[in-house]
Amino acid sequence: MNEEDVRKLAALCRIDLTDEEADKLRSDMESILGYISEIKEVVALNGSAVGQADTHRNILREDEEPHVSGMYTEDILAAAPDQEDGYVKVKAIL
């Protein structure tokens, strides 16, 4: 990445950079891009994404009631700073 690329990127982001900031940003971007290329090499060597295993799948539990409805209502209302008609009262936001 050269200074011209950094200036184009700054223009797209609509930020003004001093020469020192542009040089530091160029250096940081080169480090980041270097790290990304290392990751790509590891992925290419393994043939799959890092940490990805073909034998794993997402295992979900069956939908079920976690507890009896209303079981904790009184405790929640007692802990609320303000309540009205069995509901927690909050400040209007709209």
Side-chain angles (χ1 to χ4, degrees), residues 8 16 19 22 29 32 37-38 55 57 64 80 85 89 91:
K8 285 180 184 177
D16 293 325
D19 291 337
M29 291 295 289
I32 292 168
S37 68
E38 287 180 30
T55 59
R57 60 185 173 86
E64 57 186 44
D85 297 327
K89 188 175 179 181
K91 185 191 299 186

Side-chain angles (χ1 to χ4, degrees), residues 15-29:
I15 58 174
D16 293 325
L17 294 176
T18 65
D19 291 337
E20 293 170 356
E21 291 171 331
D23 188 48
K24 172 130 175 53
L25 183 59
R26 184 190 55 76
S27 174
D28 291 345
M29 291 295 289

Side-chain angles (χ1 to χ4, degrees), residues 6 8 13-15 21 29 33 36 42 44-46 52 57 59-60 66 68 71 75:
V6 172
K8 285 180 184 177
C13 295
R14 296 183 179 159
I15 58 174
E21 291 171 331
M29 291 295 289
L33 293 174
I36 290 172
V42 170
L45 291 174
N46 291 337
Q52 180 182 358
R57 60 185 173 86
I59 301 170
L60 302 173
V68 178
M71 183 175 179
D75 295 335

